């Protein structure tokens, strides 16, 4: 009887937390994890990534994702770490989430294309690049990326793409949070 009574408050707490998550709150907000703390950790993860300490950066970005599942930068950064660790199938999942969260941004699709190339899935990579190019073409903030996409599409069209020579993902972006905690 004592065990059943002890488990009931835990179950009640879990149900309340789940209800808050469904309402659009984050675990970090429920635990009092401030945006300033998130930004400090993001900067740390960015620094670790820049030092090629991908496992350490992955842990930092994973912690951030656990505490704020609404911030797409964390998905991009986590995907970039996975890509650099050659965990390409996993990276594709996180790039897919980042793309789903902002379907106007070609960056995660571009990085997913690199993963697909490295996995030898040229046709899918070409389709991803064409889609990324549609999003990037004529959009001033994506002009440089559009040029990179065009160059890679040209290489694919000529059949000279070297998946092993695909560029590394860009460092995790230093952008404003789009979804607060």
């Amino acid at each position: 009887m004592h065990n059943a009574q002890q488990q009931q408050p835990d179950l009640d707490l879990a149900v309340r937390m789940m209800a808050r998550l469904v309402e659009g709150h984050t675990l970090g907000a429920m635990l009092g994890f401030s945006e300033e703390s998130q930004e400090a950790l993001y900067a740390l993860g960015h620094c670790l990534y820049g030092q090629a300490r991908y496992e350490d950066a992955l842990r930092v970005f994973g912690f951030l994702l656990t505490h704020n599942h609404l911030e797409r930068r964390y998905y991009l950064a986590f995907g970039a770490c996975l890509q650099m660790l050659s965990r390409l199938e996993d990276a594709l999942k996180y790039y897919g989430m980042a793309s789903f969260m902002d379907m106007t941004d070609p960056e995660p699709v571009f990085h997913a294309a690199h993963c697909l190339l490295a996995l030898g899935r040229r046709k899918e990579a070409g389709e991803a690049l064409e889609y990324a190019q549609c999003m990037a073409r004529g959009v001033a903030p994506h002009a440089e990326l559009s040029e990179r996409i065009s160059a890679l599409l040209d290489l694919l069209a000529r059949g000279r793409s070297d998946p092993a020579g695909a560029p590394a993902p860009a460092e995790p972006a230093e952008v404003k949070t789009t979804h607060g905690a």
Side-chain angles (χ1 to χ4, degrees), residues 66-96:
T66 301
H67 287 80
N68 187 348
H69 63 284
L70 301 176
E71 178 53 64
R72 75 183 289 274
R73 290 180 306 156
Y74 302 163
Y75 288 92
L76 279 169
F78 199 79
C81 291
L82 290 168
Q83 184 177 357
M84 295 307 292
L85 293 167
S86 297
R87 293 173 52 189
L88 303 174
E89 290 290 347
D90 291 331
L92 284 171
K93 295 171 189 169
Y94 287 89
Y95 288 144

Side-chain angles (χ1 to χ4, degrees), residues 68-137:
N68 187 348
H69 63 284
L70 301 176
E71 178 53 64
R72 75 183 289 274
R73 290 180 306 156
Y74 302 163
Y75 288 92
L76 279 169
F78 199 79
C81 291
L82 290 168
Q83 184 177 357
M84 295 307 292
L85 293 167
S86 297
R87 293 173 52 189
L88 303 174
E89 290 290 347
D90 291 331
L92 284 171
K93 295 171 189 169
Y94 287 89
Y95 288 144
M97 279 300 300
S99 180
F100 180 73
M101 293 173 83
D102 180 357
M103 297 181 80
T104 65
D105 184 4
E107 182 184 0
V109 179
F110 177 72
H111 295 309
H114 284 290
C115 292
L116 291 166
L117 277 174
L119 289 166
R121 294 160 54 184
R122 291 174 51 101
K123 183 176 187 289
E124 291 172 79
E127 291 169 356
L129 287 167
E130 288 171 10
Y131 178 60
Q133 186 65 292
C134 287
M135 289 187 282
R137 189 177 294 125

Side-chain angles (χ1 to χ4, degrees), residues 122 126 129-130 150-161:
R122 291 174 51 101
L129 287 167
E130 288 171 10
S150 292
L152 197 48
L153 280 168
D154 287 345
L155 284 173
L156 278 175
R158 287 188 245 142
R160 295 188 301 155
S161 176

Side-chain angles (χ1 to χ4, degrees), residues 4 18 27 29-30 36 47 54 73 75 78 113 119 126 152-153 160 170-171 177:
M18 183 57 79
L27 181 60
M30 288 185 269
E36 294 80 19
C47 183
Y54 305 119
R73 290 180 306 156
Y75 288 92
F78 199 79
L119 289 166
L152 197 48
L153 280 168
R160 295 188 301 155
E171 287 192 24
T177 302

